[in-house]
Amino acid sequence: MNTLTDLSREDAAARERLTDALPQMIARTRDWSVHNTGSFNVAGLKAFAPKLADAFAELDAAVRLEAGPAFETVGANGQVSEMETGPIIRAEARPSAPVQIILSGHYDTVFPPGQFETIRDLGDGRINGPGMADMKGGLCVMLEALKAFEAGPMKDRIGYRIVMTPDEEIGNFASNGALTEAARSGALIGMTYEPGMETGAMSGGRKGSAVYDIVLHGRAAHAGRAKEEGRSALLAAAELVMGLEGLNGQRDGVTFNAGAIEGGAPVNIVPDLAVVRFGARAPDAEAAAWADTEVRRLFARATAHDGIHGHLHGGFYRPPKPRNGAQQALFDAVHATGRAIGLDLEFVDTGGVCEGNNIFAAGVPNVDTLGVRGGRIHSNEEFVITESFTERALLSALILNRLADGRLNARAIKDLMGR
Ligand SMILES: [Zn+2]
């Protein structure tokens, strides 16, 4: 019997196939990355989604596009409005197979139209382009790994649900429901395709992330003739920000960051509107609950001032994904799998968040940086390391082989979630 660190016959077949597929994976990712799919470019997202769905139709799976629900945003005027985004792409295969998994990834990028749209071969084994690493390259790797697995003899042992989202970079507010539902449909583990670091390092424990918008209303008045009749929303906002920043350092691993105060008024008017936008990060569920309680306390204090009232929107939209027993067991298994192809994969804890948080919150242990290796993501210097397409597709194919032949016991890992 082979161990996790050995290559089986099926592993060797996947290696040959994915080595040959390298030029095609690079070409496909370049082709996908020229489409602008900035998170707010709804027309671009809608135009690209069918192309992505067509590519995934190469799998032995039912692929469909689904409109996500509208979600709330708070404007600079303090008003709440509904926002829509592109379609969610879902695929489902073999729902009665013994091992069920969820795979996920996003097809939006952080780049609005016109900001960063060219792809340049840097000539040193790297390609610069929007989404080449984060994460159209990752989606390409997911697809090729699944195709390689389905070409082998163990196809019937694994069923999967894939969720590809149009809104990860802005918080998965429209697609969290789809991710949660797919995760809860019997998935034992999750595989998400955020880029690995340039060195190959992957993400370990992740903090949880909150976003809040607090709208504060005061009372306008002429600053010269009747200053005393005014109630400054800006002053209340400033006090709130001081309070928030003062929470930093009060509890291990919990941070608050005020990003913006919007609103205000001309200097001769007492300002009657301010919108405070801020984020919080917390390492575990108890810390997140503490952070949320503190935010609500500060909000209550701000709105207790005479003439000030307000609204609080938001919260921990991505719960923490701590390195619990199930996560560590999965990381160990992925590490051992990497050893079979000469990789020494390291898992590094991070304050960053992704769909892996949402899938963990739905009760499914997961590894979320299975995508290509790259760097400088979220900047115009984003690049992918071309040789990593084969390496990372092969890593996923080997994980699938191990799940199928029992070398990797997904059920045993999931059972550790409750401990
Ligand atoms: Zn990403």
Side-chain angles (χ1 to χ4, degrees):
M1 176 72 186
N2 293 309
T3 70
L4 285 172
T5 53
D6 295 326
L7 280 189
S8 67
R9 187 170 350 118
E10 291 77 24
D11 293 344
R15 181 169 63 182
E16 192 177 328
R17 177 191 171 106
L18 293 168
T19 301
D20 292 346
L22 179 62
Q24 176 214 326
M25 283 192 272
I26 295 170
R28 174 169 259 168
T29 303
R30 292 181 73 122
D31 179 43
W32 285 352
S33 293
V34 295
H35 291 263
N36 182 284
T37 53
S39 306
F40 297 102
N41 179 10
V42 178
L45 293 163
K46 285 183 172 170
F48 177 65
K51 181 168 187 157
L52 188 57
D54 276 353
F56 276 74
E58 294 168 16
L59 295 170
D60 187 12
V63 182
R64 68 181 198 275
L65 299 185
E66 184 180 282
F71 58 95
E72 284 189 349
T73 58
V74 179
N77 60 1
Q79 299 295 308
V80 174
S81 57
E82 301 244 294
M83 188 183 145
E84 67 154 342
T85 178
I88 299 162
I89 301 166
R90 302 186 65 165
E92 185 179 321
R94 301 177 291 283
S96 50
V99 176
Q100 293 293 318
I101 62 174
I102 173 174
L103 301 104
S104 90
H106 64 88
Y107 67 94
D108 63 327
T109 72
V110 298
F111 306 108
Q115 184 186 319
F116 172 34
E117 295 192 324
T118 51
I119 294 169
R120 283 188 311 141
D121 197 330
L122 300 176
D124 55 357
R126 299 181 305 159
I127 298 173
N128 163 242
M132 288 296 295
D134 185 16
M135 61 184 285
K136 287 167 179 166
L139 296 176
C140 185
V141 158
M142 182 210 296
L143 174 59
E144 289 304 318
L146 287 168
K147 281 164 62 184
F149 176 73
E150 290 189 339
M154 299 188 292
K155 183 171 93 169
D156 292 339
R157 300 195 196 166
I158 296 183
Y160 56 78
R161 287 178 170 80
I162 303 173
V163 181
M164 287 184 284
T165 65
D167 61 342
E168 192 275 342
E169 298 289 6
I170 54 174
N172 290 106
F173 293 110
S175 57
N176 178 53
L179 287 165
T180 301
E181 190 219 274
R184 288 189 178 153
S185 300
L188 297 175
I189 66 158
M191 299 168 72
T192 293
Y193 286 81
E194 290 293 341
M197 291 199 236
E198 191 173 355
T199 57
M202 301 171 78
S203 294
R206 289 184 181 274
K207 288 187 180 181
S209 178
V211 170
Y212 293 91
D213 303 285
I214 288 183
V215 180
L216 294 167
H217 297 282
R219 188 189 308 140
H222 191 289
R225 280 187 291 181
K227 166 74 179 167
E228 67 286 354
E229 289 173 13
R231 295 292 180 268
S232 172
L234 206 60
L235 178 61
E239 186 195 63
L240 181 71
V241 168
M242 296 291 288
L244 286 168
E245 292 288 349
L247 293 171
N248 286 309
Q250 289 199 14
R251 184 164 173 141
D252 255 7
V254 181
T255 57
F256 295 83
N257 186 57
I261 299 179
E262 292 170 19
V267 294
N268 60 349
I269 299 175
V270 177
D272 66 350
L273 173 71
V275 182
V276 183
R277 303 187 194 277
F278 60 97
R281 308 256 169 171
D284 55 50
E286 294 73 36
W290 175 82
D292 190 65
T293 302
E294 288 300 305
V295 166
R296 284 167 200 282
R297 185 179 62 76
L298 290 172
F299 174 66
R301 189 179 77 177
T303 52
H305 288 301
D306 173 50
I308 301 291
H309 70 280
H311 306 277
L312 186 156
H313 304 271
F316 273 84
Y317 68 102
R318 288 202 211 275
K321 179 187 166 186
R323 199 191 273 248
N324 66 1
Q327 286 298 132
Q328 190 58 52
L330 181 56
F331 295 156
D332 290 345
V334 172
H335 181 266
T337 301
R339 290 287 297 278
I341 46 173
L343 304 176
D344 186 11
L345 299 168
E346 201 190 347
F347 289 86
V348 181
D349 293 345
T350 172
V353 293
C354 75
E355 289 166 356
N357 291 70
N358 304 59
I359 293 169
F360 182 89
V364 178
N366 63 86
V367 56
D368 58 28
T369 34
L370 287 166
V372 288
R373 281 191 283 128
R376 300 288 294 137
I377 61 169
H378 296 195
S379 87
N380 290 20
E381 289 162 37
E382 174 179 352
F383 66 88
V384 64
I385 296 169
T386 52
E387 67 181 9
S388 73
F389 280 94
T390 292
E391 173 190 310
R392 290 300 182 127
L394 186 52
L395 177 64
S396 281
L398 263 53
I399 292 170
L400 295 169
N401 285 346
R402 281 154 180 70
L403 289 168
D405 66 21
R407 281 181 285 168
L408 204 171
N409 186 336
R411 170 87 50 195
I413 289 175
K414 189 173 184 189
D415 284 347
L416 294 171
M417 271 301 262
R419 310 271 172 89

